[in-house]
């Protein structure tokens, strides 16, 4: 949803955030990072690459008034006056520090950047980026010793492969508020980055509707279908769900139930679980919405359709082939061996 072809990092600063739970102290820089061309190109790609494929965006929220959201305020002040960048970058780190209320929250480097030329929905805008580096990697640093011989020493540094946590706050908004993108590759605490630090919620659009519905179906298959009807039926349900989304441009909740479930009791189970899921996760599952093909492609890869047996054999069902499990896989019980079994039909091995 964003393009970085013309994006330029015009300000970049690095601070270190501690852990409040362990009584640590933040360490702040006073000056911006001055890049040479090689390090600039590497840093720009490192920070912005994860956002090029994101389809889902967030909006700032607050239980009382969104104007009280700290990150929203700090970014707004920077957009108003770029000279306040260093001051408010420190405020962002202090706010991040205040969220470290347990020992598992990691300390790390925090990179704050100001970006010009980000393209969002065919419009160029600015963005403030906040990135937390939690994990360092070992690397060999070579050097020339006193005897004019080369030696090596192990040092720790930032890997350029992927960021741990990051967000882009765009200087643009819609009817829901300021547009925010976020990534979290170290999701050890679901509340820490998205809810406590950023204070954001998913935008109310077809991307989030598609994801929410697919996550509902995934959890329903795991918590209801698998324990009551087995992994075979779980695989059937997930494959049929994906097939429904592929075959329909829009989802209608009642039509979905009619096509997926044959028996009324199964429809009732799904209805009850939907209400439970909405209350548990504080989310509203839309009954009618357009399907996001990009989100479907991404989310279907997370659906587990593998049957693992205690005899060290696994059967993997193709989520894109909804009829395969029902047509070519049979489940039964062998009275002589006193064991359950699966019978698989096929023409040839691949």
């Amino acid at each position: 949803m964003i393009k970085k072809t013309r994006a330029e990092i015009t300000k970049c600063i690095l601070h270190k955030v501690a852990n409040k739970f362990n009584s640590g102290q933040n360490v702040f820089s006073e000056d911006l990072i001055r890049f040479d061309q090689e390090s600039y190109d590497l840093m720009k790609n490192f920070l912005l690459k994860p956002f090029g494929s994101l389809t889902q965006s967030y909006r700032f929220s607050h239980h009382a008034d969104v104007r009280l959201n700290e990150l929203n305020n700090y970014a707004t002040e920077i957009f108003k006056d770029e000279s306040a960048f260093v001051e408010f970058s420190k405020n962002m780190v202090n706010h991040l520090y205040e969220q470290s209320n347990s020992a598992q929250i990691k300390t790390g480097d925090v990179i704050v950047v100001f970006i010009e030329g980000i393209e969002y929905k065919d419009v160029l805008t600015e963005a403030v980026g906040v990135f937390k580096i939690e994990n360092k990697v070992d690397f060999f640093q070579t050097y020339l010793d006193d005897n004019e011989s080369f030696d090596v020493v192990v040092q720790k540094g930032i890997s350029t492969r992927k960021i741990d946590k990051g967000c882009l706050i765009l200087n643009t908004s819609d009817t829901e508020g300021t547009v925010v993108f976020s990534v979290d590759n170290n999701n050890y605490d679901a509340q820490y980055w998205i809810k406590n630090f950023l204070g954001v919620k998913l935008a109310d659009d077809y991307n989030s509707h598609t994801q929410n519905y697919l996550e509902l179906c995934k959890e329903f298959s795991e918590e209801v279908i698998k324990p009551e009807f087995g992994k075979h039926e779980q695989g059937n349900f997930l494959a049929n769900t994906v097939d429904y989304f592929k075959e329909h441009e829009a989802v209608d909740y009642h039509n979905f139930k009619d096509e997926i479930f044959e028996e009324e009791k199964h429809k009732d189970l799904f209805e009850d679980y939907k209400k439970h899921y909405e209350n548990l996760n504080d989310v509203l599952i839309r009954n009618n919405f357009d399907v996001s093909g990009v989100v479907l492609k991404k989310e279907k890869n997370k659906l587990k359709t593998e049957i693992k047996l205690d005899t060290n054999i696994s059967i993997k069902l193709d989520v894109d082939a909804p009829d395969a499990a029902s047509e070519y896989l049979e489940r039964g019980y062998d009275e002589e061996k006193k064991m359950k079994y699966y019978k698989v039909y096929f023409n040839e091995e691949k």
Side-chain angles (χ1 to χ4, degrees), residues 9 63 66 69 72 93 117 140 148 159 211 250 286 300 311 327:
I9 297 175
H63 67 277
V66 72
N69 181 293
N72 189 18
V93 173
F140 288 112
E148 298 299 315
S159 170
Q211 177 171 330
R286 299 288 181 180
K300 76 176 184 179
T311 51
E327 290 184 13

Side-chain angles (χ1 to χ4, degrees), residues 19 104 125 136 160 165 167 180 188 193 197 223 238 259 286-287 294 299 323 325 345:
N19 184 304
Q104 71 174 348
T125 187
K136 300 289 183 70
T160 59
K165 289 175 167 59
C167 71
V180 181
Y188 50 81
W193 182 256
F197 173 59
E223 296 188 14
L238 291 175
E259 287 200 21
R286 299 288 181 180
N287 287 339
V294 176
E299 291 300 313
D323 298 326
Y345 295 92

